[in-house]
Amino acid sequence: GWELPPPPLGLVPLPASFEAFFHATSASRCQICRATPEHRAVCLACGATLCGLDTPHGSSAIIEHTATCGVGVGLFMLTHNSAVVLVRERRLLFVGSPYRDEHGEVDIGLLRMKPLTLHAPEYAALSRQWLNLNFDESARGEDELPLGL
């Protein structure tokens, strides 16, 4: 019988602008609780939308998703601040953002209110890290959020 092709390797494609990404996901429902959260986390492995970290669920939605999508590991884009979060062993590590301002700088938190565009080499590097599960975890400390779940 006919079978679906395997999913592509790497991460889901992202729009050229962070604003487009934000608006494209704004009406999306959390795949776990079906709410339409103001703060969303989008799985970069499969494209699923989940409640973000600043919701009543906290990190539980993305951790639950990693159990089925990534065998306990996941990579998520947060819509309220442009950060990418790695989830591994129920711990979160912020790993930067593939979106940059006109000067090539990240704006985690969207504090400068400048347009952000996808930096293709950064997203390609993030995709390679994802495929190899090779993330620099020596950058722990303030960027890491241990979870007491």
Side-chain angles (χ1 to χ4, degrees), residues 22-72:
F22 180 89
H23 290 296
T25 63
S26 64
S28 300
R29 293 183 179 274
C30 173
Q31 286 204 341
I32 294 174
C33 73
R34 308 305 304 156
T36 306
E38 180 181 348
H39 294 247
R40 297 166 303 285
V42 176
C43 177
L44 293 178
C46 73
T49 298
L50 303 146
C51 286
L53 302 180
D54 295 334
T55 65
H57 293 117
S59 58
S60 65
I62 63 175
I63 290 172
E64 183 177 330
H65 181 73
T66 63
T68 56
C69 179
V71 193

Side-chain angles (χ1 to χ4, degrees), residues 124-141:
L126 191 62
S127 185
R128 284 190 304 275
Q129 286 178 295
W130 172 248
L131 287 171
N132 296 318
L133 288 180
N134 182 23
F135 289 90
D136 178 14
E137 295 190 49
S138 64
R140 288 185 170 171

Side-chain angles (χ1 to χ4, degrees), residues 88-103:
R88 187 186 307 188
E89 298 173 6
R90 302 170 63 92
R91 297 174 81 83
L92 277 66
L93 179 69
F94 289 90
V95 293
S97 175
Y99 285 97
R100 303 282 190 265
D101 68 12
E102 63 187 356
H103 304 291

